[in-house]
């Protein structure tokens, strides 16, 4: 027997996405305490800014996606739709900053799991206005965008989340001082998030899987630096009279031992390293002076070679970090690798970049254009769409081979100007389908 679902019950929200996410805390469902709350933001920032492998990956992502062409596509071929698309292009070029700058900042959502921006609007009344709230290149009186202002992840104290549905309603910003509790509603924001796993408002950093390898690598590099210093400079060793180390040593003798221990601990093999020692020596049995000093210090070096090669371990952790973000191809040159392997890994990385830029475009379409249309009271049926161009250049040899196969199959694309226009754009050649193609000159010999 099939139970009918009443309309009222169908509209209800009965469950929750996550156990802890309804409170709006950053990474509330994380099982590691050191990656929960603002500590997670600080750790991911440390990983991004301190690790050379992660820094190279994030720099490559930023520079590649900054170069992607962002276009505004009309909803149809009507003149009204083209005018609204032109309006959106004007809005994006009339901000206090470039769209490329915003995309560069928006990509921080990959490192932290989320990125929050406050949208500041303005009335477009012309370039002569003295007020930043109205100054614009255009004078149509519509609402435009003054700037899309970044709100750093480490200033976010918590998210305002609907207790029943789990929807993000805004965020609380902690900036210190007297006004330390700014609330920014979602209706005035752009909110990027890598994933909605468990309904966590803070998303999930793409660096999360690299955390363990980063910690081991960081500790290993510290040990390596200490080991190299000790191997080059040696281990400081001091010899002092046994009475200074006995249980009956006086307070002055104990203080001397403590001072000497501090000197040995802090001695460095550099221009500021030095030790001052007394010149007194032990007397012999007749009371005559000898060459044996009362206090002696030397640097003891290793008597053999180390049997642990630390470099392969470091490279392994670096590869683990790069592999976790699909960027292992950046390290192929250090240990060899075939062209086929490099191309496969590069293609996977570029596919990931396509999803990253598409996520940004989706937010712009959903959260920016729709609210811009609402503020201006425009017809949603004419709202254009922001689209991203190709992330990676096309291989013209593979494309030409594909066209030859089409021609061999009897498929002629020369009668499709839109196809030819796209092919010319891929080859970065100018092409105007409205202009007639000049016929080739034919010469004859009389």
């Amino acid at each position: 027997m099939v139970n009918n679902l009443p309309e009222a019950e169908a509209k209800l929200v009965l469950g929750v996405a996550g156990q802890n996410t309804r409170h709006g805390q950053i990474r509330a469902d994380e099982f590691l305490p050191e990656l929960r709350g603002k500590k997670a933001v600080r750790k991911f920032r440390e990983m991004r800014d301190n690790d050379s492998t992660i820094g190279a990956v994030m720099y490559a992502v930023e520079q590649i996606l900054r170069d992607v062409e962002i276009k505004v596509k009309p909803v149809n071929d009507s003149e009204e739709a083209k005018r609204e698309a032109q309006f959106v292009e004007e809005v994006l070029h009339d901000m206090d900053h470039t769209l490329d700058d915003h995309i560069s900042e928006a990509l921080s959502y990959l490192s932290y799991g989320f990125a929050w921006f406050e949208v500041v609007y303005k009335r477009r009344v012309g370039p002569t206005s003295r007020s930043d709230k109205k100054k614009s290149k255009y004078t149509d009186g519509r609402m435009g965008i003054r700037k899309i202002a970044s709100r750093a992840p480490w200033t976010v104290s918590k998210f305002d989340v609907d207790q029943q549905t789990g929807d993000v309603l805004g965020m609380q910003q902690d900036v210190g001082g007297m006004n330390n509790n700014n609330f920014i509603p979602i209706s005035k924001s752009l909110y990027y998030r890598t994933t909605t796993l468990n309904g966590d408002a803070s998303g999930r950093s793409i660096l999360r899987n690299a955390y363990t390898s980063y910690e081991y690598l960081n500790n290993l590099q510290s040990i390596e630096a200490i080991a190299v210093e000790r191997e080059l400079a040696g281990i400081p060793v001091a010899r002092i009279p046994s009475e200074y180390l006995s249980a009956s040593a006086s307070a002055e003798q104990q203080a001397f031992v403590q001072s000497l221990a501090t000197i040995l601990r802090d001695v460095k093999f550099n221009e500021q390293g030095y030790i001052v020692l007394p010149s007194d020596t032990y007397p012999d049995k007749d009371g005559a002076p000898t060459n044996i000093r009362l206090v002696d210090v030397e640097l003891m070096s290793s008597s053999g070679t180390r049997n642990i090669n630390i470099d392969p371990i470091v490279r392994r952790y670096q590869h683990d970090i790069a592999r976790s973000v699909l960027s292992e191809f950046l390290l192929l040159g250090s240990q060899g690798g075939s062209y086929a392997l490099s191309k496969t890994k590069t293609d996977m990385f570029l596919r990931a970049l396509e999803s990253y830029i598409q996520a940004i475009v989706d937010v712009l379409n959903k959260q920016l254009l729709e609210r811009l249309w609402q503020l201006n009271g425009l017809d949603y049926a004419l709202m254009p769409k922001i689209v991203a161009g190709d992330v990676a250049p096309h291989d013209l040899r593979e494309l030409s081979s594909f066209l030859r196969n089409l021609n061999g199959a009897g498929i002629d694309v020369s009668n499709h100007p839109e196809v030819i226009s796209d092919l010319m754009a891929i080859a970065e050649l100018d092409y105007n389908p409205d202009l007639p193609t000049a016929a080739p000159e034919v010469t004859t010999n009389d």
Side-chain angles (χ1 to χ4, degrees):
M1 180 178 179
V2 180
N3 295 326
N4 293 327
L5 179 64
E7 180 179 348
E9 184 178 350
K11 297 177 181 178
L12 295 177
V13 177
L14 303 179
V16 295
Q19 182 178 1
N20 303 314
T21 55
R22 289 176 295 173
H23 304 294
Q25 300 298 326
I26 298 176
R27 296 190 56 79
D29 269 354
E30 173 61 56
F31 62 90
L32 292 179
E34 59 269 26
L35 292 181
R36 197 179 301 143
K38 282 193 173 184
K39 291 186 292 185
V41 175
R42 288 193 294 268
K43 176 57 68 174
F44 292 137
R45 186 181 184 184
E46 173 193 324
M47 294 171 64
R48 188 193 66 176
D49 293 342
N50 279 359
D51 187 82
S52 59
T53 303
I54 295 175
V57 171
M58 303 312 296
Y59 180 77
V61 170
E62 178 182 347
Q63 295 306 310
I64 293 175
L65 295 186
R66 277 180 68 101
D67 194 44
V68 174
E69 183 182 8
I70 303 297
K71 298 173 288 187
V72 181
K73 184 178 180 181
V75 68
N76 54 49
D77 294 332
S78 66
E79 290 300 323
E80 295 83 357
K82 292 180 180 179
R83 281 196 298 268
E84 299 300 352
Q86 179 65 28
F87 165 66
V88 173
E89 290 181 353
E90 293 173 355
V91 168
L92 296 179
H93 289 88
D94 193 33
M95 298 187 293
D96 293 348
H97 53 82
T98 66
L99 184 61
D100 286 348
D101 290 338
H102 169 67
I103 290 177
S104 178
E105 290 184 318
L107 289 172
S108 65
Y109 85 100
L110 300 176
S111 299
Y112 302 107
F114 71 96
W116 196 284
F117 294 83
E118 180 182 355
V119 183
V120 183
Y121 297 92
K122 65 181 178 182
R123 180 71 66 179
R124 309 198 325 171
V125 299
T128 59
S129 176
R130 295 183 179 180
S131 174
D132 291 336
K133 298 179 181 180
K134 299 179 181 180
K135 192 172 183 179
S136 172
K137 300 176 185 177
Y138 308 96
T139 57
D140 56 7
R142 285 186 172 185
M143 290 292 291
I145 297 175
R146 176 184 167 190
K147 62 181 177 180
I148 305 175
S150 174
R151 300 296 175 249
W154 47 88
T155 66
V156 178
S157 58
K158 63 175 294 186
F159 296 93
D160 186 17
V161 180
D162 187 282
Q163 293 295 310
Q164 183 61 32
T165 64
D167 296 335
V168 178
L169 305 178
M171 71 92 166
Q172 299 284 347
Q173 188 183 30
D174 183 7
V175 295
M178 297 183 63
N179 267 339
N180 61 352
N181 194 16
N182 296 338
F183 175 74
I184 305 177
I186 189 67
S187 58
K188 197 179 180 295
S189 306
L190 290 185
Y191 169 44
Y192 299 96
R193 182 167 46 167
T194 55
T195 178
T196 58
L197 182 66
N198 296 336
D200 194 339
S202 55
R204 188 178 191 273
S205 169
I206 66 171
L207 305 179
R208 174 60 181 85
N209 290 339
Y211 168 72
T212 302
S213 297
Y214 168 79
E215 288 294 306
Y216 281 120
L217 177 61
N218 200 31
N219 293 334
L220 194 62
Q221 288 174 329
S222 299
I223 295 173
E224 181 186 34
I226 295 173
V228 169
E229 180 185 8
R230 289 305 188 191
E231 193 70 21
L232 293 177
I235 301 176
V237 177
R239 297 180 179 87
I240 59 177
S242 58
E243 59 181 302
Y244 283 64
L245 301 175
S246 66
S248 60
S250 65
E252 291 79 6
Q253 292 173 335
Q254 293 178 3
F256 175 77
V257 172
Q258 185 61 39
S259 299
L260 185 61
T262 302
I263 293 174
L264 296 178
R265 183 196 64 193
D266 296 338
V267 66
K268 299 294 181 182
F269 193 62
N270 53 34
E271 67 277 5
Q272 296 181 0
Y274 67 91
I275 299 177
V276 178
L277 298 175
S279 60
D280 304 272
T281 59
Y282 280 107
D284 61 11
K285 61 182 180 178
D286 298 326
T290 65
N291 293 328
I292 303 176
R293 301 183 183 90
L294 290 174
V295 178
D296 191 16
V297 174
E298 68 175 358
L299 296 176
M300 184 175 64
S301 60
S302 174
S303 59
T305 59
R306 302 293 184 186
N307 57 3
I308 298 178
N309 186 4
I310 203 171
D311 189 63
I313 306 175
V314 170
R315 287 203 301 266
R316 187 187 75 197
Y317 284 130
Q318 289 176 335
H319 277 267
D320 288 344
I321 292 173
R323 189 183 301 116
S324 69
V325 287
L326 301 179
S327 304
E328 196 178 7
F329 67 94
L330 293 174
L331 304 175
L332 286 178
S334 61
Q335 290 182 316
S338 64
Y339 170 77
L341 180 62
S342 173
K343 189 175 187 307
T344 300
K345 293 181 178 294
T346 303
D347 289 344
M348 292 179 62
F349 177 69
L350 293 176
R351 290 294 298 272
L353 294 191
E354 290 178 355
S355 68
Y356 297 160
I357 193 65
Q358 186 59 47
I360 292 178
V361 166
D362 289 342
V363 171
L364 292 175
N365 283 315
K366 183 66 178 177
Q367 300 181 18
L368 190 70
L369 290 194
E370 288 189 7
R371 290 166 190 158
L372 194 63
W373 246 243
Q374 180 185 12
L375 285 172
N376 287 288
L378 302 177
D379 185 1
Y380 284 94
L382 298 176
M383 188 174 69
K385 185 177 182 181
I386 299 176
V387 296
D390 295 325
V391 172
H394 293 271
D395 191 329
L396 296 181
R397 290 176 298 181
E398 293 181 357
L399 188 59
S400 61
S401 176
F402 172 70
L403 292 175
R404 282 196 299 269
N405 292 337
L406 288 180
N407 188 47
I411 301 176
D412 186 10
V413 298
S414 60
N415 296 326
H416 299 275
E418 69 280 0
V419 176
I420 298 177
S421 179
D422 290 341
L423 291 174
M424 290 300 183
I426 290 173
E428 298 183 356
L429 297 174
D430 293 332
Y431 172 73
N432 189 347
D434 297 330
L435 295 178
T437 303
E441 295 182 0
V442 179
T443 59
T444 58
N445 295 324
D446 297 334

